[in-house]
Amino acid sequence: MIQTKDDFFALVNEIQSSAYYKEPLAFGIARVDRGQKNPEKILQATFPFINWKENYGSAAIFQKALHETGKLLNDESEAVYDVTKNFVAEALSYCNPWIEEAIGDAHKNVQVIKYLSTLDEEELANFKIVFLFEDAAPKSVEAVYLKLYALSTGKAALRSVNLNGAFGILHNVAWSGTTPIELDWLRENELELKMSGQYPVIDSVDKFPRFLQHIIPADNTRILDAAKVRMGAQLAAGTTVMPGASYINFNAGTLGPVMVEGRISSSAVVGKGSDVGGGASILGVLSGTSGNPISIGENCLLGANSVTGIPLGNGCIVDAGIAVLEGTKFFMSEADYEKIKEANPEWNAEYKEFFKGRELAGLSGLHFRQDSTSGQMKVFRSNKEVKLNEELH
Amino acid sequence: MIQTKDDFFALVNEIQSSAYYKEPLAFGIARVDRGQKNPEKILQATFPFINWKENYGSAAIFQKALHETGKLLNDESEAVYDVTKNFVAEALSYCNPWIEEAIGDAHKNVQVIKYLSTLDEEELANFKIVFLFEDAAPKSVEAVYLKLYALSTGKAALRSVNLNGAFGILHNVAWSGTTPIELDWLRENELELKMSGQYPVIDSVDKFPRFLQHIIPADNTRILDAAKVRMGAQLAAGTTVMPGASYINFNAGTLGPVMVEGRISSSAVVGKGSDVGGGASILGVLSGTSGNPISIGENCLLGANSVTGIPLGNGCIVDAGIAVLEGTKFFMSEADYEKIKEANPEWNAEYKEFFKGRELAGLSGLHFRQDSTSGQMKVFRSNKEVKLNEELH
Amino acid sequence: MIQTKDDFFALVNEIQSSAYYKEPLAFGIARVDRGQKNPEKILQATFPFINWKENYGSAAIFQKALHETGKLLNDESEAVYDVTKNFVAEALSYCNPWIEEAIGDAHKNVQVIKYLSTLDEEELANFKIVFLFEDAAPKSVEAVYLKLYALSTGKAALRSVNLNGAFGILHNVAWSGTTPIELDWLRENELELKMSGQYPVIDSVDKFPRFLQHIIPADNTRILDAAKVRMGAQLAAGTTVMPGASYINFNAGTLGPVMVEGRISSSAVVGKGSDVGGGASILGVLSGTSGNPISIGENCLLGANSVTGIPLGNGCIVDAGIAVLEGTKFFMSEADYEKIKEANPEWNAEYKEFFKGRELAGLSGLHFRQDSTSGQMKVFRSNKEVKLNEELH
């Protein structure tokens, strides 16, 4: 058993220069939900805490404990191990100098080991230790969840994580509160469950859980309906998600306080101070756009029931009810052209009467409107400042 | 007690040629939820299994058991009976040759009887046996539920079932998970429930339960929010219902894999491969249209926040944010007229510059747009192929 | 102990002329949810019954009981007191003549006292007695809830109650069914809750609870998704709230049977017989408008995905998919001008070809459309009658 912190650091150094050690991109210990019918099927992984490019001391300790118990196998892009009594005992003996101060926010990995040390072998069967060594396409449910946690906790930036093939790895299950249920198990037991009045309350059927099932938002963040935010979304502090037509998909979200009453589709990102109006749609890469992820800058206003299919810079306004798509043609006056150029010095397009949406992508200070007397779509230099209601964010 | 399968078949033949037997359109045994205040009020009927134009052997057996126990009354379009110990004993004695093999997917009606045979009289009071003899307007809560099950299990086609007056028959109740609660009971007990901290969690107040409360969808079907699909809807395998602005009412739904991010109103039907974009509205017969149910064909794209008030054929596109209504006038060029005629050989309208929406109803290969420079609504021959993201369906 | 009703009335008279008595605007006794971490933090107040400009006899009795137990302090705009065993005993002794007949709908305040008299001191710690003496900005969570109840029970008219600063007073909490949970408590216990599989189901994170958590709607009112209506909303009998893109914020709602498939933002009010179509947005004062609350009159139709940013009179139609904003210019023919003037005799604008939305605010019988051949926004005298489907309301 390691007795002092110095000994601990020495041990970590020793491990890190050993042949078996491999520095992880991320790691964590998860409680898993297994299939009711097929217990080898992992339906969900719940991490009390994840490590993302950090806490390499704990990583070393965990790898040594796996190595000592004869399980370490670090030659893939990721690895998932059972948590055994021996592993826990080993890890605990190395963590010993930190045990006492591992409370509250301090030494979360040690807290996890401490907790696991109170469990018996049967209870430990619900836990897995997960390592990602590189950001490759995930190969296990546990790896997908670790990446979704990285996004939703904000430890990894939106769009920065490789989730290729995640849809194929996750199982489509019925969610009853926090519990995933295999659809096949439900089918096999439907008759008895219904006859006995024990049929479970099903909240959704999906491959992904809900964000609020795993993530505690900041004190000034509001999500009025848990169904509206998928796990893997990222919500910066001060974001409000209203329950009307809103939705935030995984790998999408906000970078600061944002009012969300519309849809932020997969891989779309909205900057601070922006207002996604009621029913406004930001098109995503999974369906709707040609595959280019859309960023909305800061202090933008997407009016109620508008549709935005191009990236916007800062301070843009899309009027209520209109669609700004890549192919939409917008009339621009010469005077507005000059002002828009001034607001976007890097923009070097020549003046012309009509610009397509895709030619205006990413510019700041634009105001998109439909002329109510002619029906023509127009773009102006915006002269309104968008400000969120401070009471609400 | 019937001993052999041959004896069973002989018995069924005998019953079917007897005077009391009447071939049913549908039948099943349901567990019912009774009013907390008025137990005679049936609030919900949960069928572990329904029979729709099938399993006439079981129907015969059940009718004989009812006849023998002095209850059969088949002179109306439907009949609902209490399930008694005697009925169960009779039915069980006829089913005897099938008892052993009635497991899994086999002989569900026998499984139901087997289960009921383990219950005492008090527990049996929660069950009803329901017969529909013709597709008349339903007269009981149980009959309405049997028809909703027929739609939602896909045993009956959408719009094929007579549900006239169903709104008047179902009771408006508070739903707490799978439990319906009489509003009057809640009122009478509000004070005590609130004072004691026992006030129930109310998920909705409606005459209809949620689809997922009764139906297990296919493995590749997703419903991200149970509130979005009403019981009586029909979702073909591979359909995804997102949680933003989507909704599928009863007697509405999909005929194949469909991405649903918008509203499929009552009696609207969407064909396979189509994409109902975020916030897109398909108008329904209950409010919004003049009463003609709308079908959307295969591989159509209804853009985000579009509104569709006419039926569409296959391969149509409605651009984001526009409304295609019966009275909307669309400009069509002569060249597009020729191409649209070619794609729709049965269409024999003369060429003209402007067609109203209702004149284009049901045609395939149309692309509806609003010209962004003139504001004019136009219809083209579509030249894009709509394809769902295979990973998602 | 008061023995007769005459003695009771005499006592009330005596109290009401005493120096310590102050006539309240509103009062009630609430069960409160306290912070898991900080029990002094009130997270929610649940009123079995509220008094709003009524039941001054009970108010007098309660004030005397507070006075006698040395707690009365009526010098602020509101007061919140602990409920003690002594207070309950005093109040009960004054109410004595009514105890027996205090059942069902009769003498709800006496019923509350009767119930409290069965509790011990520890249980009483979950209750507060709340008085509002004037409609000032609320200072306590309990006062905010009392006002939200006044709105949601319909005892106070929408927009008639001072809720200034309410957002600052309510705590942002995680809601698990009817239970509010401090976010900080959740953070502190996240590791253990997740490791033990006891992490709660979180339905929302918000300062406000849901309407259906506190209010029992009328028998012919439907709310298909509890997440769609915030506490503090007001729904007249016969209102239906569909689960698609709809939402009703606090201090907003309906004045009669209304079909709600769209958003009724904070302080917006919709008159009887109106239809807020799928995805339709009525802009609110918190974000979207310049701060003028919007009223929609009776028998109006807001088409699917329309946006309404001006008040409307009776019998108006906003076509599907269009936006009627303060600055939108609408063409009006002279013939329609005459008919609109006839329908709105108080309107005395001179004729002109184009009216801005704000110039048409509050007029009845308007039909707003976008001309599909020219893209021009136009306003007509409406000639269709809007009627809700009687079966549905």
Side-chain angles (χ1 to χ4, degrees):
Chain A
M1 181 166 321
I2 300 299
Q3 299 295 352
T4 69
K5 293 182 186 175
D6 282 349
D7 289 352
F8 174 86
F9 293 125
L11 176 65
V12 167
N13 273 332
E14 188 194 307
I15 299 168
Q16 287 176 341
S17 34
S18 74
Y20 64 78
Y21 176 74
K22 196 167 166 188
E23 189 176 281
L25 167 68
F27 67 100
I29 292 179
R31 184 186 173 94
V32 294
D33 289 289
R34 294 170 179 280
Q36 288 77 10
K37 199 183 153 189
N38 175 6
E40 292 312 301
K41 216 160 138 182
I42 301 300
L43 307 185
Q44 179 178 221
T46 301
F47 289 88
F49 176 69
I50 70 152
N51 304 273
W52 190 264
K53 298 183 186 172
E54 63 188 325
N55 302 325
Y56 297 113
S58 295
I61 290 307
F62 289 176
Q63 290 193 24
K64 181 175 170 65
L66 287 164
H67 178 69
E68 297 292 328
T69 56
K71 317 198 81 182
L72 195 63
L73 225 135
N74 285 349
D75 52 347
E76 300 276 345
S77 57
E78 64 177 73
V80 179
Y81 307 97
D82 291 339
V83 171
T84 62
K85 254 195 126 38
N86 285 346
F87 164 81
V88 175
E90 286 290 325
L92 192 72
S93 75
Y94 312 145
C95 297
N96 186 45
W98 307 101
I99 294 279
E100 222 164 308
E101 53 193 81
I103 46 168
D105 283 340
H107 311 301
K108 291 271 189 184
N109 288 309
V110 178
Q111 289 184 50
V112 170
I113 293 297
K114 216 159 71 171
Y115 186 93
L116 290 173
S117 72
T118 66
L119 303 185
D120 62 28
E121 200 77 52
E122 194 187 337
E123 292 163 324
L124 287 178
N126 297 318
F127 293 88
K128 296 275 186 184
I129 174 160
V130 190
F131 280 95
L132 304 184
F133 297 107
E134 45 179 304
D135 189 19
K139 298 173 180 170
S140 63
V141 171
E142 292 91 336
V144 173
Y145 270 83
L146 185 43
K147 290 185 166 192
L148 296 176
Y149 266 87
L151 290 168
S152 288
T153 57
K155 291 193 172 189
L158 287 167
R159 297 187 201 142
S160 75
V161 172
N162 183 344
L163 280 162
N164 293 343
F167 271 97
I169 290 168
L170 298 178
H171 304 292
N172 195 39
V173 294
W175 295 93
S176 182
T178 59
T179 305
I181 304 175
E182 276 177 296
L183 291 169
D184 249 356
W185 182 87
L186 213 49
R187 278 182 207 112
E188 284 182 18
N189 294 278
E190 180 182 8
L191 190 142
E192 187 155 78
L193 290 167
K194 283 185 167 177
M195 297 291 280
S196 63
Q198 312 273 304
Y199 195 80
V201 179
I202 307 298
D203 301 310
S204 65
V205 172
D206 191 21
K207 298 196 166 201
F208 292 74
R210 295 172 173 175
F211 177 88
L212 282 179
Q213 210 164 304
H214 290 271
I215 305 294
I216 305 168
D219 280 333
N220 59 345
T221 297
R222 273 169 256 165
I223 299 171
L224 276 73
D225 180 359
K228 295 295 193 182
V229 187
R230 224 179 197 177
M231 182 60 184
Q234 187 175 114
L235 275 70
T239 294
T240 292
V241 184
M242 298 298 281
S246 64
Y247 178 54
I248 307 183
N249 210 332
F250 77 98
N251 199 24
T254 66
L255 302 175
V258 171
M259 170 55 91
V260 184
E261 303 202 59
R263 288 170 291 283
I264 304 182
S265 304
S266 192
S267 79
V269 175
V270 181
K272 78 169 147 65
S274 289
D275 186 331
V276 182
S281 267
I282 304 172
L283 300 185
V285 293
L286 296 178
S287 70
T289 70
S290 46
N292 301 316
I294 293 180
S295 298
I296 305 297
E298 302 181 356
N299 302 308
C300 289
L301 170 62
L302 309 184
N305 291 337
S306 64
V307 178
T308 302
I310 62 164
L312 302 180
N314 299 326
C316 290
I317 297 177
V318 176
D319 268 13
I322 70 167
V324 175
L325 305 174
E326 291 191 343
T328 314
K329 287 181 207 126
F330 296 91
F331 170 82
M332 190 191 292
S333 74
E334 275 201 72
D336 277 291
Y337 169 78
E338 292 304 333
K339 290 188 214 157
I340 290 168
K341 259 196 91 59
E342 199 186 325
N344 297 276
E346 75 293 349
W347 189 51
N348 49 29
E350 293 294 305
Y351 174 71
K352 52 184 177 180
E353 271 199 313
F354 292 98
F355 285 89
K356 287 204 164 185
R358 73 171 61 88
E359 299 172 301
L360 303 169
L363 296 185
S364 291
L366 302 182
H367 186 159
F368 297 93
R369 312 187 52 180
Q370 184 172 31
D371 187 307
S372 49
T373 58
S374 71
Q376 190 172 68
M377 297 294 281
K378 295 183 171 177
V379 60
F380 301 88
R381 174 72 175 92
S382 170
N383 54 16
K384 278 189 239 172
E385 203 191 349
V386 175
K387 270 195 116 169
L388 293 181
N389 184 327
E390 291 210 357
E391 266 202 325
L392 304 185
H393 297 273
Chain B
M1 181 167 322
I2 301 299
Q3 299 296 353
T4 69
K5 292 181 185 176
D6 282 349
D7 288 352
F8 175 86
F9 292 126
L11 176 65
V12 166
N13 273 332
E14 186 194 309
I15 299 168
Q16 287 176 341
S17 34
S18 74
Y20 64 76
Y21 176 73
K22 195 168 167 187
E23 188 175 278
L25 166 68
F27 67 101
I29 293 179
R31 184 186 172 93
V32 295
D33 289 289
R34 294 171 177 279
Q36 289 77 10
K37 201 184 151 187
N38 175 5
E40 292 312 302
K41 217 161 139 182
I42 302 299
L43 306 185
Q44 180 178 220
T46 301
F47 289 89
F49 176 69
I50 69 152
N51 305 273
W52 189 264
K53 299 184 185 171
E54 62 188 326
N55 301 325
Y56 297 112
S58 295
I61 291 307
F62 289 176
Q63 289 193 24
K64 180 175 168 67
L66 287 164
H67 178 69
E68 296 294 326
T69 55
K71 316 199 83 183
L72 195 63
L73 224 135
N74 285 348
D75 52 347
E76 300 277 344
S77 57
E78 63 176 74
V80 179
Y81 306 97
D82 291 337
V83 172
T84 62
K85 254 193 128 36
N86 285 346
F87 164 80
V88 175
E90 286 290 326
L92 192 72
S93 76
Y94 312 145
C95 298
N96 184 46
W98 307 100
I99 294 278
E100 223 164 307
E101 53 193 82
I103 46 169
D105 283 341
H107 310 301
K108 291 271 190 186
N109 287 310
V110 179
Q111 289 184 51
V112 169
I113 292 296
K114 213 158 74 169
Y115 187 93
L116 290 173
S117 72
T118 67
L119 303 184
D120 62 29
E121 199 77 52
E122 193 187 338
E123 291 163 324
L124 287 178
N126 296 319
F127 293 87
K128 296 275 186 182
I129 174 160
V130 191
F131 281 95
L132 304 184
F133 297 107
E134 44 178 306
D135 189 19
K139 298 174 180 170
S140 63
V141 170
E142 292 91 337
V144 173
Y145 270 84
L146 185 43
K147 291 184 166 192
L148 296 176
Y149 266 87
L151 290 167
S152 287
T153 56
K155 292 193 173 189
L158 287 169
R159 298 186 200 142
S160 74
V161 172
N162 183 343
L163 280 163
N164 292 343
F167 271 98
I169 290 167
L170 298 179
H171 304 292
N172 195 39
V173 294
W175 295 93
S176 182
T178 59
T179 306
I181 304 174
E182 277 177 296
L183 292 168
D184 248 358
W185 182 88
L186 212 49
R187 277 179 208 115
E188 283 181 18
N189 293 278
E190 180 182 10
L191 191 142
E192 188 156 77
L193 290 167
K194 284 185 167 177
M195 297 290 279
S196 63
Q198 313 273 306
Y199 195 79
V201 178
I202 307 299
D203 301 310
S204 65
V205 172
D206 191 21
K207 298 196 165 199
F208 291 75
R210 294 172 173 174
F211 177 88
L212 283 178
Q213 211 164 303
H214 290 271
I215 304 295
I216 304 169
D219 280 332
N220 60 344
T221 297
R222 273 169 256 165
I223 299 172
L224 275 74
D225 180 359
K228 294 296 192 181
V229 187
R230 224 179 197 177
M231 182 60 184
Q234 186 175 117
L235 274 70
T239 295
T240 292
V241 184
M242 298 297 281
S246 65
Y247 178 54
I248 306 182
N249 211 332
F250 77 97
N251 199 24
T254 65
L255 302 176
V258 172
M259 171 54 91
V260 183
E261 303 202 60
R263 288 170 292 281
I264 304 183
S265 303
S266 192
S267 80
V269 175
V270 181
K272 79 167 146 65
S274 289
D275 185 331
V276 182
S281 268
I282 304 171
L283 300 185
V285 293
L286 294 177
S287 70
T289 70
S290 47
N292 301 316
I294 293 179
S295 298
I296 305 298
E298 301 181 359
N299 302 308
C300 289
L301 170 62
L302 309 183
N305 291 337
S306 65
V307 178
T308 302
I310 61 164
L312 301 180
N314 298 327
C316 290
I317 296 176
V318 177
D319 268 13
I322 70 167
V324 175
L325 305 175
E326 290 190 344
T328 314
K329 285 181 208 126
F330 295 92
F331 170 82
M332 189 190 291
S333 73
E334 274 201 71
D336 277 290
Y337 169 79
E338 292 303 335
K339 290 187 214 159
I340 291 169
K341 259 196 90 59
E342 199 187 324
N344 297 276
E346 74 293 349
W347 190 50
N348 50 27
E350 293 294 306
Y351 175 71
K352 52 184 176 177
E353 272 197 312
F354 292 97
F355 284 88
K356 287 204 166 185
R358 72 171 61 89
E359 297 173 302
L360 303 169
L363 296 185
S364 291
L366 303 182
H367 185 158
F368 297 93
R369 312 187 51 181
Q370 184 172 32
D371 186 307
S372 49
T373 58
S374 71
Q376 191 173 67
M377 297 294 282
K378 294 182 171 177
V379 61
F380 302 88
R381 174 71 176 91
S382 171
N383 54 14
K384 277 190 241 173
E385 202 192 348
V386 175
K387 269 195 117 166
L388 293 182
N389 184 327
E390 291 210 356
E391 266 204 323
L392 304 183
H393 297 274
Chain C
M1 182 167 320
I2 301 300
Q3 299 295 353
T4 69
K5 293 182 184 176
D6 281 349
D7 289 352
F8 175 86
F9 293 126
L11 175 66
V12 167
N13 273 332
E14 187 194 308
I15 299 168
Q16 287 175 342
S17 35
S18 74
Y20 65 76
Y21 176 74
K22 197 167 166 187
E23 188 175 280
L25 166 68
F27 68 99
I29 293 178
R31 183 184 174 94
V32 294
D33 289 289
R34 294 171 178 279
Q36 289 77 9
K37 198 183 151 189
N38 175 5
E40 292 311 302
K41 217 161 139 182
I42 301 300
L43 307 185
Q44 179 178 221
T46 302
F47 289 88
F49 175 69
I50 70 152
N51 304 273
W52 190 265
K53 298 182 185 172
E54 63 189 325
N55 301 325
Y56 297 112
S58 295
I61 291 305
F62 289 176
Q63 289 194 25
K64 181 177 169 64
L66 288 165
H67 179 70
E68 297 293 327
T69 56
K71 316 199 83 183
L72 194 63
L73 224 135
N74 285 349
D75 52 347
E76 300 277 345
S77 57
E78 64 177 72
V80 179
Y81 305 98
D82 292 338
V83 171
T84 62
K85 255 194 125 39
N86 285 346
F87 165 80
V88 174
E90 286 290 326
L92 191 72
S93 76
Y94 313 146
C95 298
N96 184 46
W98 307 100
I99 294 278
E100 222 164 307
E101 54 193 81
I103 46 167
D105 283 340
H107 310 301
K108 291 271 189 185
N109 287 309
V110 178
Q111 289 184 49
V112 170
I113 292 296
K114 215 158 72 170
Y115 187 92
L116 291 173
S117 72
T118 66
L119 303 184
D120 62 29
E121 200 77 51
E122 195 188 337
E123 292 164 323
L124 287 177
N126 296 320
F127 293 87
K128 295 276 185 182
I129 174 160
V130 191
F131 281 95
L132 304 184
F133 298 108
E134 45 178 304
D135 189 19
K139 298 173 181 171
S140 63
V141 171
E142 292 91 336
V144 173
Y145 270 82
L146 185 43
K147 290 185 166 190
L148 295 176
Y149 266 86
L151 289 168
S152 288
T153 56
K155 292 194 172 190
L158 287 168
R159 299 187 200 140
S160 74
V161 172
N162 183 344
L163 280 162
N164 292 343
F167 271 96
I169 290 167
L170 298 178
H171 304 292
N172 195 38
V173 294
W175 295 94
S176 182
T178 59
T179 306
I181 303 175
E182 276 176 297
L183 291 169
D184 249 357
W185 181 88
L186 212 49
R187 277 180 208 114
E188 284 181 18
N189 293 278
E190 179 182 9
L191 192 141
E192 188 156 76
L193 290 167
K194 284 185 167 177
M195 298 290 279
S196 63
Q198 313 272 305
Y199 195 80
V201 178
I202 307 298
D203 301 309
S204 65
V205 172
D206 191 20
K207 297 195 166 199
F208 291 75
R210 294 173 173 173
F211 178 87
L212 282 178
Q213 211 165 304
H214 290 271
I215 304 295
I216 305 169
D219 280 332
N220 60 344
T221 296
R222 273 169 257 165
I223 299 172
L224 275 74
D225 181 359
K228 295 295 193 182
V229 187
R230 223 179 198 176
M231 182 60 186
Q234 186 175 116
L235 274 70
T239 294
T240 291
V241 184
M242 298 297 281
S246 64
Y247 178 54
I248 307 183
N249 210 332
F250 77 97
N251 199 26
T254 66
L255 302 175
V258 171
M259 171 55 90
V260 183
E261 303 203 59
R263 289 170 292 281
I264 304 183
S265 305
S266 192
S267 80
V269 175
V270 181
K272 78 168 146 66
S274 289
D275 186 332
V276 182
S281 267
I282 305 171
L283 301 184
V285 293
L286 295 178
S287 70
T289 69
S290 46
N292 301 316
I294 292 179
S295 298
I296 305 298
E298 302 180 358
N299 303 309
C300 289
L301 170 62
L302 309 184
N305 291 337
S306 65
V307 177
T308 302
I310 62 163
L312 301 179
N314 298 327
C316 291
I317 296 176
V318 176
D319 267 12
I322 69 168
V324 175
L325 304 174
E326 291 190 341
T328 315
K329 285 180 208 129
F330 296 91
F331 170 82
M332 190 189 291
S333 73
E334 274 202 71
D336 278 290
Y337 169 78
E338 293 304 334
K339 291 188 213 155
I340 291 168
K341 260 197 89 60
E342 199 186 324
N344 297 276
E346 74 294 349
W347 190 50
N348 49 28
E350 293 294 306
Y351 174 70
K352 53 183 177 179
E353 272 199 312
F354 293 97
F355 284 88
K356 287 202 165 186
R358 72 171 61 88
E359 297 172 304
L360 303 169
L363 296 185
S364 291
L366 302 182
H367 185 159
F368 296 93
R369 312 188 51 182
Q370 184 173 31
D371 187 307
S372 49
T373 58
S374 70
Q376 190 173 70
M377 296 294 281
K378 295 183 170 178
V379 60
F380 301 88
R381 175 69 176 91
S382 171
N383 53 16
K384 278 190 240 174
E385 203 192 347
V386 175
K387 271 196 116 168
L388 293 182
N389 184 327
E390 290 210 358
E391 266 204 323
L392 305 183
H393 297 274

